[in-house]
Amino acid sequence: MKKYIVVLCSIFLFGPCPIHVPSARADDLDKVLKRLAVLERENTALRERVRRLERKHIVEPNSPQRVIMDTKTQTRPEPPQNPYSAVYKASPSVLPPFIWTGVYLGGHIGWGWEVATLNDPFTDCANFTCVTGDPIRNINLRGSLGGAQLGWNYQVNNLVVGGEIDFSSSGVNGTRSDNLAATGTIVAQITTANETREWSDTVNWLATATARLGYAWDNFLLYTKGGIAVARNTYGLFDTNVSTFNFCCISSTTSTTALTGSDTRTGLTVGVGAEWAFWKNWSATAEYDYADLGNGPVKMSGTITSVSSPGGTPFTTSTILALSIDERIQIIKLGLNYRFQWAPDAVAVNY
């Protein structure tokens, strides 16, 4: 019926016809529309917030002045695994200088020479006038030696002080031969004498005890030394004298003298040297030493044998001779040392 009423209103009145809608449905529609409007506003605010966060995320990583830290997750840095890593990083990259402090033991070889001077007590040529000869005899000694040394060093900055004792077995030796001639008169007869005399001197061993003072450049050391020297020497005299006579029944007399002696004397020594540490605790040395052993008396003893020709019987007598011999020896040595360092930790803290 309502349908027909609507149609008729449309045809005859040409206007809208009111339609009755229940009021409950209209109220529900208003609530829905209001809710949609609220959601639309919240959605717009949410979109705006998302846009701001996106812009913040893009700008902040490129900004060196902005640092984002989460205080809740902040933790203390972990310590290094090696407790000495900080010390090693702070240390210089160069190696520390060589340290000379320590006790050392080594060996050496060398060459020695000297001129020993003696006063010849037989210059009277058996009471005849000597044609040749000199009461002062110089004996040239030459030879090799070798031995061992023990010492210690202590280094303060570049200054190195220490001491050393050494012992050398020596082959330093020398001889001197003289041919002497003499003339004389016995019972108005002319007599001649021809004599051959040989002196010998041998340094058997030499020992020194010295203090050392040096200056070091890393593994290179220059030093000087001084102290006491002790030496053992052996001496010998061999003399042959042939005298010719022109009287009676004796035509000649031959006398042979053989004397030996030795002494141990003490003197002073000085020296200079250089030492080079070439590998770990090993070092090589080169050194010059001078030892003044003084002028001391030497007691020599032996026999004198005489025989006359023709048909003479040998006659032997014992004799003792005291003479003065002056000894001054020079030595060049090359050595090798091994050093035992007793305090490496105490020295290392300086570097």
Side-chain angles (χ1 to χ4, degrees), residues 304-319:
I304 299 176
T305 300
S306 299
V307 59
S308 299
S309 180
T313 300
F315 178 74
T316 301
T317 60
S318 298
T319 186

Side-chain angles (χ1 to χ4, degrees), residues 19-35:
I19 301 174
H20 177 74
V21 179
S23 59
R25 291 186 178 181
D27 293 340
D28 293 338
L29 181 59
D30 291 339
K31 291 180 180 180
V32 170
L33 293 176
K34 290 179 181 180
R35 182 60 179 168

Side-chain angles (χ1 to χ4, degrees), residues 251-296:
S251 61
S252 64
T253 299
T254 301
S255 63
T256 303
T257 303
L259 304 176
T260 59
S262 61
D263 71 346
T264 301
R265 60 179 67 189
T266 302
L268 300 177
T269 181
V270 294
V272 295
E275 191 166 0
W276 171 49
F278 60 91
W279 184 61
K280 294 184 179 179
N281 289 22
W282 290 95
S283 61
T285 63
E287 184 176 296
Y288 167 80
D289 296 321
Y290 176 83
D292 185 352
L293 299 169
N295 190 335

